[in-house]
């Protein structure tokens, strides 16, 4: 499919806040990848300053929407799903962009997979440069990494999009579980590689650990059988605290646990768990990870 053929079929949605330099890199890479004709909508979620005039002039085909109020990227991703006119919705973080492969072929694959609602991609990080595209066939995953994923836009909206009350972190897992309950699934599509240069601006690891613990437990409360939720409620904070990477944020993890416990009544209205069989089927799939080692591990297991 030509670049012009993508226009109207794949739309790109990006939400950003106070990271105009990073967005400039991403938009430049998107255009260089051959997607200049695609519909691109950028939502400014309450940045201190509006988009620089030079950035807007450099990308005249991009629609910039500014809000003074910050509602968080989850709510804005939902809004992008409703705003775009395309059949498919490529969601990108402002520090992520397609690096290798063919987006049109990914859209064709997704179009032909009746029970698939979202595609995950290999995510390369700084210092990782794949020499070639993997020939590994697509396979089902539990979820996907939010910095870049491709959605059937109308189905995404019909399923209710992301649960905005989660506010930050883990919304992809929650959506994948909702999709599983509706008889839909998430697949890994190796031939399209996304690069995530992981901007350090506005990153707060303590905040991330708080929401990781809180939201993992709330998602379990909403989506999984009660016995599995009860086990996770007991083991999750301990598992995180035993992990060396999480240990410096012990207080944030414990705060997240107590916040989840206090929020259970408020999230009860969302509780719609999978059957035990459906949950086992979902849990048997691989967990997506950033970095090309994940791709290599999958290939090794399949060979």
């Amino acid at each position: 499919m030509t670049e012009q053929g993508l226009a109207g079929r794949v739309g790109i949605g990006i939400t950003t806040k106070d990271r105009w330099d990073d967005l400039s890199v991403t938009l430049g890479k998107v255009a260089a990848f051959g997607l200049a004709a695609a519909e691109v909508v950028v939502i400014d979620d309450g940045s201190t300053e509006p988009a620089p005039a030079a950035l807007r002039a450099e990308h005249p085909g991009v629609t910039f929407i500014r809000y003074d109020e910050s509602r968080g990227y989850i709510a804005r991703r939902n809004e992008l799903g409703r705003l775009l006119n395309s059949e498919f919705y490529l969601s990108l973080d402002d520090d992520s962009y397609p690096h290798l492969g063919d987006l049109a072929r990914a859209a064709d694959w997704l179009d032909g997979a009746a029970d698939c609602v979202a595609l995950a991609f290999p995510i390369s990080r700084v210092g990782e440069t794949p020499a070639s595209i993997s020939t590994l066939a697509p396979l089902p995953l539990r979820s996907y990494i939010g910095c870049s994923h491709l959605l059937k836009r109308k189905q995404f909206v019909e399923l209710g999009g992301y649960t905005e009350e989660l506010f930050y972190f883990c919304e992809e897992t929650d959506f994948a579980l909702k999709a599983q309950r509706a008889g839909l699934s998430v697949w890994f599509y190796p031939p399209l590689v996304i690069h995530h240069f992981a901007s350090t601006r506005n990153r707060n690891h303590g905040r991330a650990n708080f929401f990781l613990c809180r939201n993992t437990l709330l998602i379990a409360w909403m989506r999984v059988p009660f016995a599995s939720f009860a086990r996770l409620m007991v083991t999750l904070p301990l598992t995180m605290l035993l992990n060396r990477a999480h240990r410096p944020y012990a207080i944030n993890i414990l705060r997240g646990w107590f916040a989840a416990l206090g929020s259970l009544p408020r999230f009860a209205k969302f509780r719609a768990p999978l059957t035990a069989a459906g949950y086992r089927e979902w849990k048997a799939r691989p967990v997506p990870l950033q970095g090309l080692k994940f791709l290599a591990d999958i290939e090794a297991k399949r060979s």
Side-chain angles (χ1 to χ4, degrees), residues 17 30 44 48 56 73 83-84 94-95 122 126 193 199 223 226 241 243 248 273-274 277 279 292-293 296 300 303:
K17 182 179 179 181
V30 164
D44 172 9
T48 305
R56 298 174 70 105
Y73 73 89
L83 283 172
L84 290 168
D94 55 14
D95 58 358
V126 173
V193 178
S199 172
R223 311 297 176 205
F226 184 78
L241 290 171
N243 185 307
L274 277 66
Y279 180 61
L292 297 180
K293 185 178 182 300
S303 62

Side-chain angles (χ1 to χ4, degrees), residues 47-287:
S47 294
T48 305
E49 299 291 337
L55 179 63
R56 298 174 70 105
E58 186 179 358
H59 301 282
V62 174
T63 300
F64 288 85
I65 299 173
R66 173 171 170 79
Y67 291 101
D68 293 327
E69 175 194 10
S70 178
R71 292 187 57 209
Y73 73 89
I74 292 178
R76 299 308 184 193
R77 281 181 179 172
N78 282 349
E79 185 173 348
L80 285 162
R82 296 188 295 268
L83 283 172
L84 290 168
N85 299 300
S86 53
E87 182 180 358
F88 301 105
Y89 167 19
L90 178 65
S91 177
L92 294 176
D93 278 5
D94 55 14
D95 58 358
S96 301
Y97 54 83
H99 179 61
L100 286 173
D102 188 328
L103 179 58
R105 289 191 177 183
D108 286 342
W109 191 95
L110 181 56
D111 190 28
D115 66 342
C116 179
V117 68
L119 283 188
F121 304 112
I123 308 293
S124 68
R125 300 175 295 189
V126 173
E128 293 182 327
T129 305
S132 62
I133 297 296
S134 170
T135 56
L136 180 67
L139 70 154
L141 288 184
R142 287 191 205 176
S143 183
Y144 49 89
I145 294 170
C147 67
S148 179
H149 51 281
L150 186 66
L151 297 159
K152 288 179 178 173
R153 190 187 62 81
K154 286 185 179 179
Q155 280 189 318
F156 171 73
V157 173
E158 287 167 0
L159 285 169
Y162 296 120
T163 303
E164 296 180 10
E165 287 79 359
L166 293 172
F167 184 69
Y168 176 73
F169 241 48
C170 304
E171 75 282 355
E172 309 95 336
T173 300
D174 178 55
F175 180 75
L177 283 162
K178 282 201 297 186
Q180 174 79 7
R181 190 172 184 271
L184 300 168
S185 55
V186 171
W187 282 67
F188 183 53
Y189 185 82
L192 182 66
V193 178
I194 302 296
H195 184 65
H196 181 208
F197 59 91
S199 172
T200 57
R201 185 175 178 84
N202 296 337
R203 289 191 185 273
N204 184 319
H205 295 292
R207 180 174 181 251
N209 275 269
F210 168 83
F211 279 105
L212 176 60
C213 186
R214 170 190 178 265
N215 288 353
T216 298
L217 294 173
L218 289 174
I219 290 166
W221 171 236
M222 292 188 287
R223 311 297 176 205
V224 309
F226 184 78
S228 299
F229 160 73
R231 282 196 298 270
L232 197 59
M233 196 74 188
V234 172
T235 61
L236 177 67
L238 180 60
T239 302
M240 290 182 68
L241 290 171
L242 291 175
N243 185 307
R244 186 185 307 173
H246 294 297
R247 212 171 294 157
Y249 310 103
I251 188 63
N252 304 85
I253 293 166
L254 294 174
R255 285 180 55 241
W257 188 90
F258 280 110
L261 192 64
S263 298
L264 294 183
R266 184 162 61 91
F267 277 76
K269 63 183 178 182
F270 297 115
R271 183 157 168 79
L274 277 66
T275 64
Y279 180 61
R280 285 195 299 270
E281 178 186 344
W282 177 84
K283 200 171 181 182
R285 299 170 187 160
V287 178

